[in-house]
Amino acid sequence: MIRRTLCALTVMVGTGGPSMAEEAAFDFDMHETPIAVPDLQFADEAGSVRTLDDYRGKYVVVNVWATWCAPCREELPTLDALQRSIGGPAFEVIALSTETGRRPAVERLFTELSITDLEALIDISGSTMRDLGAYALPATVLIDRTGQEMGRKIGPADWDSPAAIEFFKALP
């Protein structure tokens, strides 16, 4: 894996005194060549079965999370903001809960956190983490337009930071 870091932002910090420049970076572990993604199945809010094939032609950020995971809960609003900022015909954020059979808990959390731009998608097999080879939460996989995994990030991130937004806007 290669680490792709985007350091495109300089933030000026200070209040009336001397300014201090601070670089903000967004790191994502990118594969040298894309790899196959398992056939993930998940349920949408209406209970219909969806797969990653439904998103072909778009870059897709698949974030796997759980309601009991504190870092997951903390980053959900930033994933929502990322979708609101650049989601559309060419880019989609999927927040995929591991809460098989616990849709009411997921929906309560979305309401509590004021999540408005993400769908409450739920792993119906209970095996998404194992299938992806991700053994920690949150786990995020970046899928290219052809359905191949470009890279991944294990652990939380500030998904709507200017550096993160620039990272995703710069995808080929």
Side-chain angles (χ1 to χ4, degrees), residues 86-155:
I86 63 173
F91 184 85
E92 186 85 22
V93 177
I94 295 176
L96 181 55
S97 172
T98 61
E99 310 287 333
T100 304
R102 297 195 58 224
R103 176 162 297 284
V106 171
E107 290 174 351
R108 274 192 307 275
L109 183 62
F110 270 44
T111 299
E112 176 186 323
L113 298 175
S114 300
I115 304 298
T116 58
D117 290 276
L118 296 175
E119 265 191 282
L121 301 171
I122 298 179
D123 173 15
I124 56 177
S125 69
S127 64
T128 292
M129 285 188 62
R130 182 182 62 245
D131 293 346
L132 287 174
Y135 299 101
L137 289 176
T140 306
V141 177
L142 177 60
I143 310 294
D144 69 13
R145 292 179 173 142
T146 66
Q148 300 287 304
E149 180 179 325
M150 296 176 67
R152 61 178 52 204
K153 181 170 187 59
I154 304 300

Coordinates of all heavy atoms in Angstrom, one line a residue, residues 86-155:
I86 N -20.0 17.1 -1.5 CA -19.5 16.7 -2.9 C -20.3 15.5 -3.4 O -20.0 15.0 -4.5 CB -18.0 16.5 -3.0 CG1 -17.5 15.4 -2.0 CG2 -17.3 17.8 -2.7 CD1 -16.1 15.0 -2.2
G87 N -21.2 14.9 -2.7 CA -22.0 13.8 -3.2 C -22.8 14.2 -4.4 O -23.3 15.3 -4.5
G88 N -23.0 13.2 -5.3 CA -23.8 13.5 -6.5 C -23.6 12.4 -7.5 O -23.3 11.3 -7.1
P89 N -23.7 12.7 -8.8 CA -23.6 11.7 -9.8 C -22.3 11.0 -9.9 O -22.2 9.9 -10.4 CB -23.9 12.5 -11.1 CG -24.4 13.8 -10.7 CD -24.0 14.1 -9.3
A90 N -21.2 11.6 -9.4 CA -19.9 11.0 -9.5 C -19.3 10.6 -8.2 O -18.2 9.9 -8.2 CB -18.9 12.0 -10.2
F91 N -20.0 10.8 -7.1 CA -19.4 10.5 -5.8 C -20.5 10.2 -4.8 O -21.5 11.0 -4.7 CB -18.6 11.7 -5.3 CG -17.8 11.5 -4.0 CD1 -16.6 10.9 -4.0 CD2 -18.4 11.9 -2.8 CE1 -15.9 10.7 -2.8 CE2 -17.7 11.7 -1.6 CZ -16.5 11.1 -1.6
E92 N -20.3 9.2 -3.9 CA -21.3 8.8 -2.9 C -20.6 8.3 -1.7 O -19.6 7.6 -1.7 CB -22.2 7.7 -3.5 CG -23.3 7.3 -2.7 CD -24.6 8.2 -2.9 OE1 -24.7 8.8 -4.0 OE2 -25.4 8.2 -2.0
V93 N -21.2 8.7 -0.5 CA -20.8 8.2 0.8 C -21.8 7.2 1.2 O -23.0 7.5 1.3 CB -20.6 9.3 1.8 CG1 -20.2 8.8 3.2 CG2 -19.6 10.4 1.3
I94 N -21.3 6.0 1.6 CA -22.2 5.0 2.1 C -21.8 4.7 3.6 O -20.6 4.3 3.8 CB -22.1 3.7 1.3 CG1 -22.6 3.8 -0.1 CG2 -22.8 2.5 2.0 CD1 -22.4 2.6 -0.9
A95 N -22.7 5.0 4.5 CA -22.5 4.7 5.9 C -23.1 3.4 6.2 O -24.4 3.3 6.3 CB -23.0 5.8 6.8
L96 N -22.4 2.3 6.3 CA -22.9 0.9 6.4 C -22.8 0.4 7.8 O -21.7 0.1 8.3 CB -22.1 0.0 5.4 CG -22.6 -1.4 5.3 CD1 -24.1 -1.6 5.0 CD2 -21.8 -2.1 4.3
S97 N -23.9 0.4 8.5 CA -23.9 -0.1 9.9 C -23.8 -1.6 10.0 O -24.4 -2.3 9.2 CB -25.2 0.3 10.6 OG -25.3 -0.2 11.8
T98 N -23.1 -2.1 11.0 CA -22.9 -3.5 11.3 C -24.1 -4.0 12.1 O -24.1 -5.2 12.5 CB -21.6 -3.8 12.0 OG1 -21.6 -3.1 13.2 CG2 -20.4 -3.4 11.2
E99 N -25.0 -3.2 12.4 CA -26.1 -3.5 13.3 C -27.2 -4.3 12.7 O -28.4 -4.0 12.6 CB -26.8 -2.2 13.8 CG -25.8 -1.2 14.3 CD -25.2 -1.5 15.7 OE1 -25.8 -2.2 16.5 OE2 -24.1 -1.1 15.9
T100 N -26.9 -5.5 12.3 CA -27.8 -6.5 11.7 C -29.0 -6.6 12.6 O -28.9 -7.0 13.8 CB -27.1 -7.8 11.4 OG1 -26.0 -7.6 10.6 CG2 -28.1 -8.8 10.7
G101 N -30.2 -6.4 12.0 CA -31.4 -6.6 12.8 C -31.7 -5.5 13.8 O -32.6 -5.6 14.7
R102 N -31.0 -4.4 13.8 CA -31.2 -3.3 14.8 C -31.5 -1.9 14.1 O -30.9 -0.9 14.5 CB -29.9 -3.2 15.7 CG -29.7 -4.4 16.5 CD -28.8 -4.3 17.6 NE -29.2 -3.2 18.5 CZ -28.4 -2.3 19.0 NH1 -27.1 -2.3 18.7 NH2 -28.8 -1.4 19.8
R103 N -32.3 -1.9 13.1 CA -32.6 -0.7 12.3 C -33.1 0.4 13.3 O -32.7 1.5 13.1 CB -33.6 -1.0 11.2 CG -34.0 0.3 10.5 CD -34.6 0.2 9.2 NE -33.8 -0.5 8.2 CZ -32.8 0.2 7.6 NH1 -32.5 1.4 7.9 NH2 -32.1 -0.5 6.7
P104 N -34.0 0.1 14.2 CA -34.4 1.2 15.1 C -33.3 2.0 15.8 O -33.3 3.2 16.0 CB -35.4 0.6 16.1 CG -35.9 -0.6 15.3 CD -34.7 -1.1 14.5
A105 N -32.3 1.2 16.3 CA -31.1 1.8 16.9 C -30.3 2.7 16.0 O -29.9 3.8 16.4 CB -30.2 0.8 17.5
V106 N -30.2 2.3 14.7 CA -29.5 3.1 13.7 C -30.3 4.3 13.4 O -29.7 5.5 13.4 CB -29.2 2.3 12.5 CG1 -28.7 3.1 11.3 CG2 -28.3 1.1 12.8
E107 N -31.6 4.2 13.2 CA -32.4 5.4 12.9 C -32.4 6.4 14.1 O -32.4 7.6 13.9 CB -33.8 4.9 12.5 CG -33.8 4.2 11.2 CD -35.1 3.6 10.8 OE1 -36.0 3.6 11.6 OE2 -35.2 3.1 9.6
R108 N -32.5 5.9 15.3 CA -32.4 6.8 16.5 C -31.1 7.6 16.5 O -31.1 8.8 16.8 CB -32.6 6.0 17.8 CG -34.0 5.7 18.2 CD -34.1 5.2 19.6 NE -33.2 4.1 19.9 CZ -33.6 2.8 19.7 NH1 -34.8 2.5 19.2 NH2 -32.8 1.8 20.0
L109 N -30.0 6.9 16.2 CA -28.7 7.6 16.2 C -28.7 8.6 15.1 O -28.2 9.8 15.3 CB -27.6 6.6 16.1 CG -26.2 7.3 16.1 CD1 -25.9 7.9 17.5 CD2 -25.1 6.2 15.8
F110 N -29.2 8.3 13.9 CA -29.2 9.3 12.8 C -30.0 10.5 13.2 O -29.6 11.6 13.0 CB -29.8 8.7 11.6 CG -28.7 8.0 10.7 CD1 -27.7 7.2 11.2 CD2 -28.8 8.2 9.3 CE1 -26.8 6.7 10.4 CE2 -27.9 7.6 8.5 CZ -26.8 6.9 9.0
T111 N -31.1 10.3 13.9 CA -31.9 11.4 14.4 C -31.2 12.2 15.5 O -31.1 13.5 15.4 CB -33.3 10.9 15.0 OG1 -34.0 10.2 13.9 CG2 -34.1 12.0 15.5
E112 N -30.6 11.5 16.4 CA -29.8 12.2 17.5 C -28.7 13.0 17.0 O -28.5 14.1 17.5 CB -29.3 11.1 18.4 CG -28.4 11.6 19.5 CD -27.8 10.5 20.3 OE1 -28.4 9.4 20.5 OE2 -26.6 10.6 20.7
L113 N -28.0 12.5 15.9 CA -26.9 13.3 15.4 C -27.3 14.2 14.2 O -26.4 14.8 13.6 CB -25.8 12.3 14.9 CG -25.2 11.4 15.9 CD1 -24.3 10.4 15.3 CD2 -24.5 12.2 17.0
S114 N -28.5 14.3 13.9 CA -29.1 15.1 12.8 C -28.4 14.8 11.5 O -28.0 15.6 10.7 CB -28.8 16.6 13.1 OG -29.5 17.0 14.3
I115 N -28.3 13.5 11.2 CA -27.8 13.0 9.9 C -28.9 13.1 8.9 O -29.9 12.4 9.0 CB -27.3 11.5 10.1 CG1 -26.2 11.4 11.1 CG2 -26.8 11.0 8.7 CD1 -25.0 12.2 10.9
T116 N -28.7 13.9 7.9 CA -29.7 14.1 6.9 C -29.4 13.7 5.4 O -30.3 13.6 4.6 CB -30.1 15.6 6.9 OG1 -28.9 16.4 6.6 CG2 -30.7 16.1 8.2
D117 N -28.1 13.6 5.1 CA -27.7 13.4 3.8 C -27.2 12.0 3.5 O -26.8 11.6 2.4 CB -26.7 14.4 3.3 CG -27.3 15.8 3.2 OD1 -27.9 16.1 2.1 OD2 -27.3 16.5 4.2
L118 N -27.1 11.1 4.5 CA -26.7 9.7 4.4 C -27.9 8.8 4.6 O -28.8 9.1 5.4 CB -25.7 9.4 5.5 CG -24.3 10.0 5.4 CD1 -23.5 9.6 6.6 CD2 -23.6 9.7 4.1
E119 N -28.0 7.7 3.8 CA -29.0 6.7 4.0 C -28.6 5.8 5.2 O -27.4 5.6 5.4 CB -29.1 5.8 2.8 CG -30.2 6.2 1.8 CD -30.4 5.1 0.8 OE1 -29.5 5.0 -0.1 OE2 -31.3 4.4 0.9
A120 N -29.5 5.4 6.0 CA -29.3 4.4 7.1 C -29.2 3.0 6.4 O -30.2 2.3 6.3 CB -30.3 4.5 8.1
L121 N -28.0 2.6 6.0 CA -27.8 1.3 5.4 C -27.3 0.3 6.4 O -26.5 0.7 7.2 CB -26.8 1.4 4.2 CG -27.3 2.4 3.1 CD1 -26.2 2.6 2.1 CD2 -28.5 1.9 2.4
I122 N -27.8 -0.9 6.3 CA -27.4 -1.9 7.3 C -26.9 -3.2 6.7 O -27.5 -3.7 5.7 CB -28.6 -2.2 8.2 CG1 -29.0 -1.0 9.0 CG2 -28.3 -3.4 9.2 CD1 -30.2 -1.1 9.9
D123 N -25.8 -3.7 7.2 CA -25.2 -5.0 6.7 C -26.2 -6.1 7.0 O -26.6 -6.3 8.2 CB -23.9 -5.2 7.5 CG -23.3 -6.6 7.2 OD1 -23.7 -7.3 6.3 OD2 -22.4 -7.0 8.0
I124 N -26.7 -6.8 6.0 CA -27.7 -7.8 6.2 C -27.1 -9.2 6.5 O -27.7 -10.1 7.0 CB -28.8 -7.9 5.1 CG1 -28.2 -8.1 3.8 CG2 -29.7 -6.7 5.1 CD1 -29.2 -8.3 2.6
S125 N -25.9 -9.4 6.1 CA -25.2 -10.7 6.2 C -24.5 -10.8 7.6 O -24.3 -11.9 8.0 CB -24.2 -10.9 5.1 OG -23.1 -10.0 5.3
G126 N -24.2 -9.7 8.2 CA -23.4 -9.7 9.4 C -21.9 -10.1 9.2 O -21.2 -10.3 10.1
S127 N -21.5 -10.1 7.9 CA -20.1 -10.5 7.6 C -19.3 -9.5 6.8 O -18.2 -9.8 6.3 CB -20.1 -11.8 6.8 OG -20.8 -11.6 5.6
T128 N -19.8 -8.3 6.7 CA -19.2 -7.2 5.9 C -17.7 -7.0 6.4 O -16.8 -6.9 5.6 CB -20.0 -5.9 5.9 OG1 -21.2 -6.2 5.1 CG2 -19.2 -4.8 5.2
M129 N -17.6 -6.8 7.7 CA -16.2 -6.6 8.2 C -15.3 -7.7 7.8 O -14.2 -7.5 7.3 CB -16.2 -6.3 9.7 CG -16.7 -5.0 10.0 SD -16.5 -4.6 11.8 CE -14.8 -4.6 11.9
R130 N -15.7 -8.9 8.0 CA -14.8 -10.1 7.7 C -14.6 -10.2 6.2 O -13.5 -10.4 5.7 CB -15.5 -11.4 8.2 CG -14.6 -12.6 7.9 CD -15.3 -13.9 8.4 NE -16.5 -14.2 7.6 CZ -17.7 -14.2 8.2 NH1 -17.9 -14.0 9.5 NH2 -18.8 -14.4 7.5
D131 N -15.7 -9.9 5.4 CA -15.5 -10.0 3.9 C -14.5 -9.0 3.4 O -13.8 -9.2 2.5 CB -16.9 -9.8 3.3 CG -17.8 -11.0 3.5 OD1 -17.4 -12.0 4.0 OD2 -19.0 -10.8 3.3
L132 N -14.5 -7.8 4.0 CA -13.6 -6.7 3.6 C -12.2 -6.9 4.2 O -11.3 -6.2 3.8 CB -14.2 -5.4 4.0 CG -15.3 -4.8 3.3 CD1 -15.8 -3.5 3.9 CD2 -15.0 -4.6 1.8
G133 N -12.1 -7.8 5.2 CA -10.8 -7.9 5.9 C -10.5 -6.8 6.8 O -9.3 -6.4 7.0
A134 N -11.5 -6.2 7.3 CA -11.4 -5.0 8.2 C -11.7 -5.5 9.6 O -12.8 -6.0 9.9 CB -12.3 -3.9 7.8
Y135 N -10.8 -5.4 10.6 CA -11.0 -5.9 11.9 C -11.0 -4.8 13.0 O -10.7 -5.1 14.1 CB -9.9 -7.0 12.2 CG -10.0 -8.1 11.1 CD1 -9.2 -8.2 10.0 CD2 -11.1 -9.0 11.2 CE1 -9.4 -9.2 9.1 CE2 -11.2 -10.0 10.3 CZ -10.4 -10.1 9.2 OH -10.6 -11.1 8.3
A136 N -11.3 -3.6 12.6 CA -11.4 -2.5 13.6 C -12.5 -1.6 13.0 O -12.7 -1.5 11.8 CB -10.1 -1.8 13.8
L137 N -13.1 -0.9 13.9 CA -14.1 0.1 13.5 C -13.6 1.5 13.9 O -13.0 1.6 15.0 CB -15.4 -0.1 14.1 CG -16.2 -1.3 13.6 CD1 -17.5 -1.5 14.4 CD2 -16.6 -1.2 12.1
P138 N -14.0 2.5 13.2 CA -14.6 2.5 11.9 C -13.6 2.1 10.8 O -12.4 2.2 11.0 CB -15.0 3.9 11.6 CG -14.1 4.8 12.5 CD -13.7 3.9 13.7
A139 N -14.1 1.5 9.7 CA -13.2 1.1 8.6 C -13.9 1.7 7.4 O -15.1 1.6 7.2 CB -13.2 -0.4 8.5
T140 N -13.0 2.3 6.5 CA -13.5 3.0 5.4 C -12.7 2.5 4.1 O -11.5 2.4 4.1 CB -13.3 4.5 5.5 OG1 -14.0 4.9 6.7 CG2 -14.0 5.3 4.3
V141 N -13.5 2.2 3.1 CA -12.9 1.7 1.8 C -13.3 2.6 0.7 O -14.5 3.0 0.6 CB -13.4 0.2 1.6 CG1 -12.9 -0.3 0.2 CG2 -13.1 -0.7 2.7
L142 N -12.4 3.0 -0.1 CA -12.7 3.8 -1.3 C -12.8 2.9 -2.5 O -11.8 2.2 -2.9 CB -11.5 4.8 -1.5 CG -11.6 5.8 -2.7 CD1 -12.9 6.6 -2.6 CD2 -10.4 6.7 -2.7
I143 N -13.9 3.0 -3.2 CA -14.2 2.2 -4.4 C -14.2 3.1 -5.6 O -14.7 4.2 -5.6 CB -15.6 1.5 -4.3 CG1 -15.8 0.8 -2.9 CG2 -15.9 0.6 -5.4 CD1 -14.9 -0.4 -2.7
D144 N -13.5 2.6 -6.7 CA -13.5 3.4 -7.9 C -14.7 3.2 -8.7 O -15.6 2.4 -8.4 CB -12.2 3.1 -8.7 CG -12.1 1.7 -9.3 OD1 -13.2 1.0 -9.4 OD2 -11.0 1.3 -9.8
R145 N -14.8 3.8 -9.9 CA -16.0 3.8 -10.7 C -16.3 2.5 -11.3 O -17.4 2.2 -11.7 CB -15.8 4.8 -11.8 CG -15.8 6.3 -11.4 CD -15.6 7.2 -12.5 NE -15.8 8.6 -12.0 CZ -15.1 9.6 -12.5 NH1 -14.2 9.4 -13.4 NH2 -15.3 10.8 -12.0
T146 N -15.3 1.6 -11.3 CA -15.5 0.2 -11.9 C -15.8 -0.8 -10.8 O -16.0 -2.0 -11.1 CB -14.3 -0.3 -12.7 OG1 -13.2 -0.4 -11.8 CG2 -13.9 0.7 -13.8
G147 N -15.9 -0.4 -9.5 CA -16.2 -1.3 -8.4 C -15.0 -1.9 -7.8 O -15.2 -2.9 -7.0
Q148 N -13.8 -1.4 -8.0 CA -12.6 -1.9 -7.4 C -12.2 -1.1 -6.2 O -12.4 0.1 -6.2 CB -11.5 -1.9 -8.5 CG -11.8 -2.8 -9.7 CD -11.7 -4.2 -9.4 OE1 -10.7 -4.7 -8.9 NE2 -12.7 -5.0 -9.7
E149 N -11.6 -1.7 -5.2 CA -11.1 -1.0 -4.1 C -9.8 -0.3 -4.4 O -8.8 -0.9 -4.8 CB -10.8 -1.9 -2.9 CG -10.3 -1.2 -1.7 CD -10.1 -2.2 -0.5 OE1 -10.8 -3.1 -0.3 OE2 -9.1 -1.9 0.3
M150 N -9.8 1.0 -4.2 CA -8.6 1.9 -4.5 C -7.7 2.0 -3.2 O -6.5 2.2 -3.3 CB -9.0 3.3 -4.9 CG -9.8 3.4 -6.2 SD -10.3 5.1 -6.5 CE -8.7 5.9 -6.8
G151 N -8.3 2.0 -2.1 CA -7.6 2.2 -0.8 C -8.5 2.1 0.4 O -9.7 1.8 0.2
R152 N -7.9 2.2 1.6 CA -8.7 2.1 2.8 C -8.1 2.9 3.9 O -6.9 3.2 3.9 CB -9.0 0.7 3.2 CG -7.7 -0.1 3.5 CD -8.0 -1.5 4.0 NE -8.9 -2.2 3.1 CZ -9.7 -3.3 3.4 NH1 -9.6 -3.7 4.6 NH2 -10.4 -3.9 2.5
K153 N -8.9 3.2 4.9 CA -8.5 3.9 6.1 C -9.2 3.2 7.3 O -10.4 3.1 7.3 CB -8.9 5.4 6.0 CG -8.4 6.1 7.3 CD -8.7 7.6 7.0 CE -8.1 8.5 8.2 NZ -6.7 8.3 8.4
I154 N -8.4 2.8 8.2 CA -8.9 2.2 9.4 C -8.8 3.2 10.5 O -7.7 3.8 10.7 CB -8.1 0.9 9.8 CG1 -8.1 -0.1 8.7 CG2 -8.7 0.3 11.1 CD1 -9.5 -0.6 8.2
G155 N -9.9 3.5 11.2 CA -9.9 4.5 12.3 C -10.7 5.7 11.8 O -11.0 5.8 10.6

